Amino acid sequence: MSVTKFEKVIQLIDDANAKDIKIEKDNNGKDVAKELIYGQRMGEMIERFAPDADEVNKIAVHGQHIQRWTSPRSDYPMNKKGYHLWRSRLYSYHADTVCGLMEQVGYDKTSIERVKLSVGKKALKTNADTKMLENIAAMVFIEYYMQAMADKFNEYRENGQIEFITFHQSYSYEEFVEGLKAESDESGN
């Protein structure tokens, strides 16, 4: 039985993400590379949410954080400008990396360009592929990561250091984060 281009590119994404040294527990309590389990969760979620999605969407969703650990947030200034620079470079790196793997296994230029747009977070408000990817990412976050984040920051909330708020679904993640303002005391905390 021959392996399809789709299966090859998903395996290449998984192979790349399996190199992450950060470990997370899967649903069975087994240690798995953090970005590998994230990509697999994204792939599982698109199958549940949009089982009729085409291969291009499934590739984009599965690979959107490919090798994310290679560009740590700490390498950039810890301010709004540094955050946006980090994110925009990550988007480009992820898109270029996934598209390179697609090209390697023989995908056509149209499919590659679609993935480049969605993984690169281009045209978020108008591109159906990008919207699909962001919707899947939000559902994965809610199902697998939101409670741990809430638990981790409980102490900060109790100390008045952070506050959880809700945002309207018509806002993009970037618009929402851009609207958040940090306050610090005289000592910079």
Side-chain angles (χ1 to χ4, degrees):
M1 183 172 169
S2 67
V3 178
T4 66
K5 288 187 299 188
F6 175 73
E7 292 168 328
K8 286 179 188 175
V9 79
I10 294 298
Q11 188 60 57
L12 289 169
I13 292 167
D14 283 352
D15 290 347
N17 282 335
K19 296 175 185 169
D20 190 353
I21 62 169
K22 293 181 183 171
I23 300 298
E24 198 169 294
K25 300 280 186 197
D26 69 8
N27 295 344
N28 300 315
K30 180 182 170 193
D31 288 347
V32 180
K34 181 181 177 188
E35 293 306 334
L36 175 61
I37 191 72
Y38 179 79
Q40 291 171 345
R41 288 172 173 166
M42 291 287 286
E44 291 165 6
M45 188 62 74
I46 197 168
E47 290 298 336
R48 287 173 37 204
F49 175 72
D52 296 331
D54 66 11
E55 286 183 6
V56 172
N57 276 304
K58 291 177 181 180
I59 293 166
V61 162
H62 201 89
Q64 79 137 348
H65 277 186
I66 191 166
Q67 298 177 324
R68 187 176 187 152
W69 70 92
T70 62
S71 180
R73 173 67 179 97
S74 60
D75 286 356
Y76 293 84
M78 294 308 233
N79 57 30
K80 183 177 174 181
K81 186 176 179 179
Y83 172 79
H84 287 291
L85 181 61
W86 172 68
R87 294 290 295 207
S88 65
R89 286 185 178 167
L90 269 178
Y91 296 157
S92 295
Y93 173 76
H94 294 151
D96 291 344
T97 303
V98 173
C99 290
L101 297 176
M102 291 177 72
E103 190 172 354
Q104 181 181 324
V105 300
Y107 271 91
D108 61 273
K109 290 190 184 305
T110 301
S111 297
I112 292 170
E113 186 58 30
R114 282 181 57 202
V115 167
K116 189 172 189 100
L117 285 173
S118 61
V119 175
K121 313 293 176 151
K122 304 295 183 194
L124 184 59
K125 291 184 179 186
T126 58
N127 183 303
D129 294 340
T130 308
K131 288 180 185 181
M132 169 76 76
L133 186 147
E134 288 299 302
N135 287 337
I136 298 300
M139 288 185 284
V140 166
F141 174 77
I142 290 167
E143 186 165 320
Y144 294 101
Y145 303 101
M146 189 166 84
Q147 186 60 53
M149 189 195 86
D151 292 346
K152 180 179 176 186
F153 289 101
N154 245 359
E155 179 183 326
Y156 298 135
R157 183 174 54 213
E158 289 169 6
N159 292 336
Q161 292 172 288
I162 65 167
E163 181 178 338
F164 284 98
I165 59 173
T166 342
F167 65 99
H168 194 272
Q169 64 268 22
S170 67
Y171 287 116
S172 71
Y173 174 79
E174 288 77 12
E175 291 170 321
F176 174 70
V177 169
E178 191 171 309
L180 297 177
K181 303 288 184 228
E183 295 179 11
S184 58
D185 60 20
E186 298 83 39
S187 64
N189 294 323

